[in-house]
Amino acid sequence: MKLLLDSKDTIADGVVLLTLRDPDGLPLPSWTPGAHVDLVLADGLIRQYSLCGDPSDTSVLRVAVLREQPGRGGSRHVHDVLTAGQRIEVLGPRNHFPLVEAGRYLFIAGGIGITPILPMIEQVAAAGHDWRLVYGGRTRASMAFLAELERHDNVEIRPQDEHGLLDLPAVFADVDDDTAVYCCGPEPLLAAVEQHRTTGSLHVERFAPKAGATDGPRQEFEVELAQTGGVLRVPADRSILEVLEGSGVPVLSSCQEGTCGTCETPVLSGTPDHRDSLLSDDERQQGDVMMICVSRALSDRLVLDL
């Protein structure tokens, strides 16, 4: 869908908030906390950004974008090229980071990782659930949405230049297994949280691949395309995505590192070798979807719904 960039506002150091709406005022697709959209910024440049507005407001979609230095060009395009009044192709919304039912919640956000967390805490707060947010960042000026968050008593703002790194042993000191823990932010924070949360419910969303996620033996296998009956050979030195693109099969992709979910593809038969940093352990065991940009096969052939 082509949406109008209604406004672009700086909301923190290096962070802009994009507000998108239908050019004809039509309602936009519904979404749930944790969802993201893909912005098609230029030919071959597709980037994912978490929705950070109000899910009940179908008149607009809002995303916040941090200028990444260095980056792969997406955030620079958003900051330097996009202007209010432009029309942008938007794909989605899709949700790989859904909010589950729980007795209580602990939210941990680092920097721009606050974006998917923001609508989550609004939902659990409105429902009267027991929750707590610990929000870290480099400096207070670099941390988006502070005004919205500081109206809650159970939000802890911890800029690194004032408090140092987040004290995770203290954060987890009284967290039991019935607490759903949600974390989004840079990889060092996610890795540290995973070390502290070894039991109970933990949900993370990554901006970069998990260390070692794509490691492992690389063998040849076949991919059968169920919709056409075609069979393609995937050599050891190429990904499924590369083989499909080289054969003219239209597929969407973006990060090409197993973090965004754009290339998620249904698996009809065969056993995937999951090497993404997105699917949960349960989703991997089910084996009915895979990220074809990085994942491979444990069986001789995969049948994909393509």
Side-chain angles (χ1 to χ4, degrees):
M1 55 183 171
K2 282 275 191 179
L3 298 185
L4 175 71
L5 178 55
D6 191 59
S7 62
K8 173 183 170 183
D9 303 295
T10 299
I11 58 171
D13 288 349
V15 181
V16 293
L17 178 68
L18 308 183
T19 300
L20 302 153
R21 66 175 68 248
D22 184 90
D24 299 318
L26 299 175
L28 299 177
S30 61
W31 58 279
T32 54
H36 70 269
V37 291
D38 302 322
L39 300 188
V40 182
L41 301 172
D43 289 342
L45 189 63
I46 304 174
R47 293 294 182 266
Q48 299 71 43
Y49 299 108
S50 297
L51 291 166
C52 56
D54 178 1
S56 67
D57 182 0
T58 60
S59 67
V60 296
L61 295 175
R62 291 189 170 93
V63 299
V65 181
L66 170 69
R67 178 188 287 276
E68 296 280 1
Q69 297 287 1
R72 294 179 294 128
S75 68
R76 290 197 300 274
H77 186 97
V78 169
H79 279 256
D80 298 339
V81 178
L82 293 187
T83 58
Q86 285 184 259
R87 297 195 181 193
I88 304 171
E89 186 176 355
V90 179
L91 308 176
R94 293 178 291 132
N95 198 340
H96 292 287
F97 192 43
L99 185 65
V100 301
E101 286 292 329
R104 59 193 62 85
Y105 298 87
L106 169 63
F107 300 103
I108 304 172
I112 199 62
I114 191 60
T115 51
I117 301 296
L118 192 66
M120 290 184 180
I121 65 172
E122 295 299 333
Q123 178 169 310
V124 299
H129 292 299
D130 182 6
W131 64 277
R132 173 188 176 204
L133 168 66
V134 181
Y135 179 20
R138 292 180 294 102
T139 64
R140 190 173 293 270
S142 72
M143 300 170 70
F145 304 111
L146 289 186
E148 295 93 320
L149 293 167
E150 288 178 329
R151 63 187 176 84
H152 296 287
D153 294 333
N154 41 352
V155 171
E156 301 172 29
I157 306 298
R158 292 289 183 268
Q160 186 176 342
D161 63 341
E162 298 177 21
H163 301 276
L165 296 175
L166 294 181
D167 185 355
L168 292 180
V171 170
F172 281 98
D174 58 353
V175 177
D176 58 28
D177 286 353
D178 293 330
T179 301
V181 179
Y182 279 80
C183 182
C184 186
E187 181 59 27
L189 172 62
L190 300 184
V193 167
E194 288 175 330
Q195 289 181 348
H196 283 85
R197 183 62 164 182
T198 57
T199 62
S201 173
L202 173 61
H203 309 266
V204 301
E205 183 165 63
R206 284 185 151 80
F207 301 139
K210 190 174 182 178
T214 59
D215 294 347
R218 298 176 66 88
Q219 299 174 341
E220 289 191 0
F221 58 94
E222 291 181 340
V223 168
E224 179 180 340
L225 310 181
Q227 296 178 21
T228 65
V231 177
L232 300 173
R233 169 66 63 173
V234 181
D237 61 345
R238 300 183 73 195
S239 68
I240 299 174
L241 177 63
E242 289 172 332
V243 170
L244 292 174
E245 289 179 334
S247 300
V249 179
V251 287
L252 287 175
S253 69
S254 177
C255 72
Q256 299 189 20
E257 57 187 17
T259 59
C260 73
T262 302
C263 70
E264 180 178 308
T265 302
V267 179
L268 302 182
S269 70
T271 306
D273 179 7
H274 295 291
R275 302 188 182 190
D276 64 275
S277 300
L278 186 63
L279 295 176
S280 67
D281 290 341
D282 288 343
E283 290 169 328
R284 290 174 177 233
Q285 290 177 4
Q286 291 171 11
D288 54 1
V289 297
M290 67 184 299
M291 307 304 156
I292 59 174
C293 63
V294 292
S295 295
R296 301 188 66 80
L298 296 174
S299 54
D300 292 334
R301 177 179 289 196
L302 294 173
V303 180
L304 303 181
D305 190 10
L306 289 172

